[in-house]
Amino acid sequence: MSGPEATVAAVLRHLDGARMVHLAVHGQHEPENALFSRLELADGPLFAHDVLRLGRPPAQVVPAANELALTHIRPGDEPLGFAGALLASGVSTVVAAVTQVGERAASLAMSDFHHSLAAGSSPADALAHSTGRDPYRRPFICVGAS
């Protein structure tokens, strides 16, 4: 889905029970309250705390947006952020960026990543293959089970 169809409710519906979800949207990490880190959708933000209400979280999520792998350590040493909220909701593997990444570099890295996944690589191996030695593709990390 894309454009005006990519609403908060529609994305949450598609996330629920999916095996793998790739979200090619803009996002923002919110360091002061990481549960308000968000994806920018057609009708407004999808906040990190929104994913905690999924009934059947997807196995893998790739929020290919800037900085959504960032976390902020709160009292109690709990890392919070969009990727952390996905993992807390039950998502097994998250591939996301820790800094800003250009659209071309993200597109190339994610294309190679998905080709490697389709060829049978684990998410961690597929990401390692897709980022290689290109420093412009390196802001992506794989967290969770791989």
Side-chain angles (χ1 to χ4, degrees), residues 54-117:
L54 293 173
R56 297 171 299 136
Q60 296 178 27
V61 177
V62 181
N66 293 333
E67 302 178 342
L68 289 184
L70 289 176
T71 59
H72 189 74
I73 307 297
R74 302 298 292 175
D77 294 330
E78 182 177 8
L80 296 174
F82 204 88
L86 288 168
L87 293 170
S89 77
V91 171
S92 296
T93 307
V94 178
V95 173
V98 293
T99 188
Q100 292 192 2
V101 58
E103 286 185 28
R104 185 172 191 285
S107 175
L108 291 171
M110 291 297 99
S111 177
D112 289 349
F113 171 75
H114 287 290
H115 284 302
S116 290
L117 276 181

Side-chain angles (χ1 to χ4, degrees), residues 2-3 7-8 19-21 26 33-34 41 56 64 66 68 77 92 95 109 112 123-124 130 138-139:
S2 63
T7 64
V8 171
R19 187 178 69 75
M20 204 275 199
V21 177
H26 291 286
N33 191 339
L41 299 176
R56 297 171 299 136
N66 293 333
L68 289 184
D77 294 330
S92 296
V95 173
D112 289 349
S130 70
R138 286 201 157 161

